[in-house]
Amino acid sequence: MQWIAVSGYHADNIGPALLGGFVLIRKCKKDEPVELLRLPFARAADLFFVLVNPKFEAPTKKMRAALPKETPMASMINNCTQGGSLVAGILMNDIKLLGQALDSDVIIEPARAPLIPGMLEVKAAAK
């Protein structure tokens, strides 16, 4: 896929929409083709996602501005290990591990949650 066709900045959204299922972004560099890998998940019938669409706008520029300018090493290590756990959960068909990994972000979600009305309440109700 070409960068222009699938903006590398949003490959995380476009990849699954085009390929379906779980998609790993292997490479996402400007002026180079985006590399997407579809990950098999045999227990798809056992997995349910709930989409909540609150009535508010989240412009990319505003949401990026909310992110910390610097991130502690421990937080980066946590998020990297959880990214690995997410992929492992998918490849091992382990729904519990998948859920734990999705719920372990200590960088992006805590910074953006205050900008999303009701997000924390919805997450708590989903558990």
Side-chain angles (χ1 to χ4, degrees):
M1 292 184 194
Q2 295 301 317
W3 188 269
I4 295 168
V6 179
S7 168
Y9 294 110
H10 299 286
D12 57 330
N13 298 324
I14 301 299
L18 292 174
L19 302 175
F22 290 103
V23 176
L24 175 73
I25 303 168
R26 201 196 82 65
K27 184 174 153 190
C28 186
K29 293 182 180 179
K30 191 168 178 146
D31 299 324
E32 294 184 25
V34 175
E35 290 185 31
L36 304 174
L37 302 173
R38 190 167 189 282
L39 302 178
F41 187 71
R43 293 190 59 197
D46 298 332
L47 190 62
F48 297 91
F49 286 93
V50 176
L51 175 65
V52 177
N53 189 6
K55 292 185 178 185
F56 85 105
E57 292 197 24
T60 300
K61 187 174 183 177
K62 179 180 178 182
M63 297 307 272
R64 286 187 180 157
L67 300 178
K69 302 293 181 233
E70 294 186 13
T71 303
M73 181 66 75
S75 296
M76 287 301 297
I77 291 169
N78 174 79
N79 277 27
C80 288
T81 60
Q82 294 311 312
S85 294
L86 178 66
V87 173
I90 293 167
L91 296 177
M92 295 170 57
N93 300 303
D94 187 331
I95 292 174
K96 184 176 180 182
L97 179 59
L98 180 61
Q100 290 170 336
L102 285 171
D103 197 34
S104 297
D105 175 20
V106 297
I107 302 170
I108 310 274
E109 191 173 293
R112 289 181 172 169
L115 303 176
I116 304 171
M119 179 182 159
L120 297 178
E121 293 81 5
V122 169
K123 275 191 72 171
K127 290 184 179 184

